[in-house]
Amino acid sequence: ASGAYPKRVKVVEVGPRDGLQNEKNLVPTPVKINLINMLSETGLQVIEATSFVSPKWVPQMADHTEVLQGIKKSPGISYPVLTPNLRGFQAAVAAGAKEVSIFGAASELFTQKNINCSIEESLERFEEVMRAAKEASIPVRGYVSCVLGCPYEGKISAAKVAEVSKKMYSMGCYEISLGDTIGVGTPGSMREMLAAVMKEVPVGALAVHCHDTYGQALANILVALQMGVSVVDASVAGLGGCPYAQGASGNVATEDLVYMLNGLGIHTGVDLQKLMDTGTFICNALSRKTNSKVSQASCRL
Amino acid sequence: QEPQASGLPEYIKIVEVGPRDGLQNEKVIVPTDIKIELINQLSKTGLPAIEVTSFVSSKWVPQMADHKEVMRGIKRHPGVQYPVLTPNLQGFHSAIAAGATEVSVFGAASESFSKMNINCSIEESIERFEEVTKSARNMNIPVRGYVSCALGCPYEGNVVPDKVAEVSKRLYSMGCYEISLGDTIGVGTPGSMKKMLEAVMKEIPLSALAVHCHDTYGQALANILTAVQMGVAVVDSSVAGLGGCPYAKGATGNVATEDVIYMLNGLGINTGVNLCAVMEAGNFICTALNKRTNSKVAQASFSTATIN
């Protein structure tokens, strides 16, 4: 049954990183910087700026230092960056990063295929980052991939998600973002997974990162909100396809999320019109249509 | 998952509106034999109700001009309902003559919408429908009632929940066995869906309610989930998400049946519908229409299959 909703939700904008990283077309550095600057004007409080990963693996993020140094950082807005290891962390801090993110997974096979080691080993690698971050007083956000299903393993047990989340939280991550990486989750599996995770991590430290590959994202987010989650990741214009299903969509569109939250009377602080304008800008730059249905519709209300 | 334990309905009836609402709102007009084949394919999926066509003047709705041929040409499966739209008594008689065994009438919760759509007030439209329901009752033909603009109107903007409740009550009292509440322009959200249903549920028993959500703003599944959590157990949808929004050029309209079933399956709710079979029917009609499916489930499944 639908219980009470949170009064406020923090929207974490992942378009410039997760979005652009998974787009076919590359955008030049000035366009990335302008995108982030426009997003900074919308009321969003958290904008994931880039990823300090080797350009050999992720060429779309090769300009990470220029982007982080080039953006106009608004006070009160956080610009976290991905740091897959200690070297990336150090480069990020040198470039001015004040918050970083690390990535775990609830699937052994996914971890193996993605970064060539086990979940246990990947978390050991991150211990170094956690230690350095603690010393530098830099907050660390933890992501858990494949929380509702894995492209290789298929079904993922809620207990495994809870176990990995607990580890990352105990290591010192202030927030754990639970990612439905291939978008296969439904309100049923979302509820089951969250119930397990909430036994190990306080709900105030949880976020959901839903992909819309099967059209389930907003319904899944709704259930998460009903269970007390108040941090939701999204990507402007729904940037970022799914690398595991060619041509299929990936991230949920921030515009569509904000539209829903507005309708629920939940405060986000985000100006939907400015957000849509930003989406229009980046879609033009990418020569692509928006994935946001709110943007596509032109009904007046 | 145990839907009963979670307070959700155990079974949800899916009303497939693709052949009527879907095709009526597609740019390309589909030949009669394709329509018949689509309906025949849908009849094999387990769908309990398939809206076949509309007995409206071909002057107004050319896409449905072949209503008689379609009605007579389909292969009806036992246990499946094949309702047709009948805007007035003339359409009703024509539908019965062609073999229809269930009909639908369309009201609206907005005066402006009613005037712009069918050139009369809500009250006048209700009077017209009363003629239909009276005749239908005499012939033991069930009538389904639709209420358009339940969560917003392209002309009036905001629609008051009490107005939706009032129109629904009128349709129910005149004999409609089920009232399908339509978010015609897809502007609704879980917030407005809840408020509207609360108002309507004061006047109509839950078991007589259905939701007909459009996905124009991407809110359909979240809205349907909200309705289902409140106990609504009948959901309208359109295979492949056929049927754009006539009020927002290029925007989507009906929610895709495949995506609804995927969600309900995940919730452990029984629909009796075979998702793969629906995807095949969706593939068939999209090929015939030379368009991409609007169903994300179909898109993802097809993509993953080609990669593997």
Side-chain angles (χ1 to χ4, degrees):
Chain A
S2 45
Y5 289 99
K7 288 201 166 54
R8 318 177 80 88
V9 161
K10 180 174 84 174
V11 176
V12 174
E13 172 60 46
V14 300
R17 203 283 307 169
D18 193 359
L20 293 183
Q21 181 169 321
N22 287 297
E23 283 290 324
K24 276 194 317 265
N25 298 331
L26 265 65
V27 290
T29 309
V31 172
K32 283 184 185 141
I33 288 172
N34 197 33
L35 169 64
I36 295 167
N37 288 347
M38 285 183 80
L39 289 167
S40 293
E41 300 286 311
T42 62
L44 284 161
Q45 294 174 282
V46 186
I47 302 165
E48 196 175 67
T50 186
S51 181
F52 280 77
V53 66
S54 160
K56 191 170 63 170
W57 299 124
V58 187
Q60 302 90 325
M61 299 285 125
D63 54 2
H64 40 65
T65 304
E66 293 91 323
V67 169
L68 194 55
Q69 288 179 338
I71 59 177
K72 180 166 173 278
K73 294 192 190 138
S74 301
I77 299 183
S78 183
Y79 299 93
V81 299
L82 249 65
T83 52
N85 48 40
L86 188 60
R87 184 163 64 168
F89 174 80
Q90 285 160 346
V93 173
K98 297 275 187 289
E99 180 176 330
V100 301
S101 308
I102 61 171
F103 259 85
S107 156
E108 285 292 353
L109 220 49
F110 186 83
T111 308
Q112 205 62 241
K113 295 245 186 201
N114 243 31
I115 51 177
N116 225 359
C117 64
S118 70
I119 297 177
E120 185 67 43
E121 286 165 335
S122 76
L123 294 181
E124 274 165 28
R125 279 184 208 173
F126 287 132
E127 288 277 6
E128 303 185 297
V129 176
M130 300 307 304
R131 251 195 318 265
K134 194 157 173 208
E135 259 166 62
S137 291
I138 298 232
V140 181
R141 187 186 212 227
Y143 281 95
V144 182
S145 302
C146 297
V147 300
L148 298 178
C150 169
Y152 311 106
E153 282 186 23
K155 198 170 192 299
I156 294 290
S157 86
K160 188 71 184 175
V161 182
E163 180 195 319
V164 177
S165 304
K166 182 181 183 176
K167 276 226 71 177
M168 295 181 79
Y169 186 66
S170 319
M171 280 164 66
C173 293
Y174 77 92
E175 194 168 88
I176 306 295
S177 174
L178 303 162
D180 181 12
T181 306
I182 48 172
V184 289
T186 64
S189 57
M190 173 64 85
R191 183 176 294 278
E192 195 190 333
M193 184 275 295
L194 281 178
V197 176
M198 279 161 64
K199 289 195 188 120
E200 309 291 348
V201 181
V203 72
L206 291 178
V208 288
H209 183 112
C210 296
H211 279 190
D212 203 38
T213 319
Y214 288 75
Q216 309 293 305
L218 285 189
N220 293 345
I221 289 167
L222 191 68
V223 163
L225 295 172
Q226 290 172 352
M227 292 177 76
V229 172
S230 63
V231 183
V232 182
D233 300 358
S235 176
V236 62
L239 291 181
C242 179
Y244 305 97
Q246 203 196 58
S249 58
N251 285 301
V252 69
T254 314
E255 298 92 316
D256 300 1
L257 169 67
V258 170
Y259 185 91
M260 181 173 83
L261 296 176
N262 285 351
L264 280 162
I266 294 174
H267 180 260
T268 61
V270 179
D271 181 324
L272 182 52
Q273 187 56 57
K274 287 192 178 149
L275 189 59
M276 288 198 280
D277 293 343
T278 309
T280 303
F281 162 75
I282 191 62
C283 286
N284 286 341
L286 281 163
S287 295
R288 61 158 289 173
K289 281 184 77 184
T290 181
N291 268 341
S292 156
K293 288 205 163 166
V294 169
S295 247
Q296 271 170 45
S298 51
C299 286
R300 290 162 290 114
L301 191 75
Chain B
Q1 256 82 49
E2 277 187 23
Q4 269 188 327
S6 56
L8 300 172
E10 227 177 35
Y11 169 79
I12 285 187
K13 178 176 94 172
I14 305 272
V15 176
E16 171 60 46
V17 300
R20 203 283 308 168
D21 194 359
L23 293 183
Q24 180 170 320
N25 288 297
E26 283 291 329
K27 283 195 306 269
V28 175
I29 295 188
V30 163
T32 307
D33 57 340
I34 303 266
K35 283 184 183 138
I36 289 171
E37 176 60 23
L38 171 65
I39 294 165
N40 288 347
Q41 286 196 24
L42 290 168
S43 291
K44 296 189 193 144
T45 63
L47 283 162
I50 301 166
E51 198 176 65
V52 169
T53 186
S54 181
F55 281 77
V56 66
S57 161
S58 51
K59 192 171 62 175
W60 301 125
V61 186
Q63 302 90 324
M64 298 286 125
D66 55 1
H67 39 66
K68 286 201 192 88
E69 292 89 328
V70 173
M71 192 77 236
R72 291 205 183 107
I74 57 173
K75 182 162 177 278
R76 287 197 234 198
H77 283 232
V80 181
Q81 300 290 96
Y82 297 93
V84 299
L85 250 66
T86 52
N88 48 39
L89 197 57
Q90 183 184 32
F92 174 77
H93 288 313
S94 187
I96 298 302
T101 49
E102 180 176 327
V103 302
S104 308
V105 296
F106 258 83
S110 152
E111 284 294 353
S112 311
F113 188 83
S114 193
K115 290 234 169 62
M116 296 292 273
N117 235 36
I118 52 176
N119 224 359
C120 65
S121 70
I122 297 178
E123 186 61 42
E124 285 166 334
S125 75
I126 299 271
E127 280 162 24
R128 273 184 213 172
F129 299 142
E130 266 170 332
E131 296 186 316
V132 173
T133 53
K134 219 162 45 200
S135 287
R137 193 168 31 245
N138 288 341
M139 302 179 68
N140 269 336
I141 299 272
V143 182
R144 188 186 211 226
Y146 281 92
V147 180
S148 301
C149 297
L151 296 178
C153 169
Y155 312 106
E156 284 184 18
N158 201 29
V159 171
V160 174
D162 282 346
K163 188 70 183 175
V164 183
E166 181 196 317
V167 176
S168 304
K169 186 177 181 177
R170 291 294 302 271
L171 289 172
Y172 187 68
S173 314
M174 75 168 75
C176 292
Y177 77 92
E178 194 167 88
I179 308 296
S180 174
L181 304 161
D183 182 12
T184 306
I185 47 170
V187 290
T189 64
S192 57
M193 172 64 85
K194 183 162 193 278
K195 287 200 183 93
M196 184 275 293
L197 283 176
E198 277 167 352
V200 176
M201 276 159 62
K202 287 194 191 121
E203 308 291 348
I204 315 251
L206 196 47
S207 56
L209 289 179
V211 288
H212 183 112
C213 296
H214 279 192
D215 203 36
T216 320
Y217 288 75
Q219 309 294 306
L221 286 189
N223 292 344
I224 290 168
L225 180 63
T226 300
V228 164
Q229 286 177 339
M230 291 173 75
V232 171
V234 184
V235 176
D236 299 0
S237 60
S238 176
V239 61
L242 291 180
C245 178
Y247 305 96
K249 200 174 107 137
T252 58
N254 285 301
V255 69
T257 305
E258 298 92 317
D259 300 1
V260 172
I261 292 176
Y262 186 92
M263 180 174 80
L264 297 179
N265 284 352
L267 281 163
I269 294 173
N270 182 35
T271 61
V273 182
N274 181 324
L275 177 53
C276 287
V278 177
M279 284 199 279
E280 276 169 28
N283 191 38
F284 163 76
I285 191 62
C286 286
T287 305
L289 283 163
N290 197 24
K291 66 167 277 183
R292 280 190 74 186
T293 181
N294 271 338
S295 157
K296 288 206 163 167
V297 169
Q299 265 170 45
S301 305
F302 180 67
S303 306
T304 320
T306 49
I307 285 190
N308 290 339

